Amino acid sequence: MMISENIEDYLACIYDLSIDGGVVKTNQIASKLNISPGSVSEMIKKLSSLGYVSYEQYRGVSLTDEGLTIARRVKRRHRLLERFFVDILGMKTEESHDEAMKLEHTVSDESVERISKILRDPVVCPDGNPIPPPDIPQPDVSGLSVQLDTLKQGESASITHIASEDLDRVRRLISMGFVPGHDIQIDEKVPVGGPLLVRIDGRRIALAKDMASLVWVRRA
């Protein structure tokens, strides 16, 4: 079942408000989301019917196990994206939150786990809040991916991850457009150790062989 952005926002909000294990009041949710109490009450009824929350009148709302799983997944996406924006793209911490909000509902769990690997599996976001652990098996690309420089001229592939302990090199590659999930094509392989001429996002880029070996791809 596809979960709407609105539902994810509510569950993530309840997760934040109940981080100490307490029951959350509907007026707390309304205040945090800047929504009318009446709208919150209607959504809580829907979430309860879906099995995502438990609600007791005059007491409040708490997440069920299923609701908690979804909320943790959203918070993991959000906080890993914040780390990515700050650590890799050099964005200010205060700006990373808004950028993460734009993507937290659209980026896939698989892509998030690849981002986590690039960042060496951080456990806190830039603000120091804990990053929930993954609730799905992390993708094993070892038998599926090959290094970019092993592709033949004319071959196409999709970037799976960047393998390097040198964050400066990772930042440089990502700034050039070598982002997991993007499609890439080998236009030309210059002989005698020359660069690879690749096409990505409609741009033609010359990439040194040592840098190309850090980019791992899955053949189309």
Side-chain angles (χ1 to χ4, degrees), residues 191-210:
V192 197
L196 275 69
L197 300 179
V198 303
R199 191 169 297 277
I200 184 169
D201 292 338
R203 296 177 295 122
R204 201 169 190 238
I205 301 171
L207 187 65
K209 193 173 186 302
D210 64 325

Side-chain angles (χ1 to χ4, degrees), residues 157-169:
S158 176
I159 299 171
T160 61
H161 63 293
I162 297 172
S164 177
E165 295 296 315
D166 186 337
L167 284 183
D168 286 336
R169 285 189 158 199

Side-chain angles (χ1 to χ4, degrees), residues 38-126:
S39 296
V40 171
S41 295
E42 287 300 312
M43 177 55 83
I44 294 304
K45 292 178 184 177
K46 179 178 180 179
L47 295 177
S48 179
S49 69
L50 291 170
Y52 296 150
V53 303
S54 296
Y55 174 66
E56 294 183 39
Q57 193 172 13
Y58 307 120
R59 187 163 181 267
V61 183
S62 59
L63 294 171
T64 63
D65 288 344
E66 187 174 1
L68 182 61
T69 295
I70 296 168
R72 282 176 174 163
R73 191 178 300 155
V74 175
K75 299 309 292 187
R76 177 170 175 80
R77 285 191 224 126
H78 181 94
R79 290 172 181 173
L80 278 169
L81 285 168
E82 286 183 319
R83 280 248 75 103
F84 177 80
F85 290 135
V86 172
D87 295 354
I88 302 299
L89 301 187
M91 189 177 291
K92 294 179 180 179
T93 299
E94 57 268 26
E95 297 172 341
S96 67
H97 174 73
D98 290 339
E99 289 300 312
M101 288 288 289
K102 297 174 185 177
L103 295 177
E104 65 181 24
H105 300 294
T106 57
V107 65
S108 70
D109 290 323
E110 183 179 8
S111 294
V112 164
E113 296 314 320
R114 297 191 192 284
I115 288 173
S116 182
K117 288 301 180 188
I118 288 174
L119 298 171
R120 304 176 200 169
D121 296 323
V123 294
V124 295
C125 75

Side-chain angles (χ1 to χ4, degrees), residues 151-157 184-189 197-198 220:
L151 296 187
K152 296 177 182 178
Q153 187 168 307
E155 276 196 286
S156 297
I184 190 169
Q185 182 178 28
I186 304 294
D187 270 5
E188 184 180 349
K189 297 187 79 171
L197 300 179
V198 303

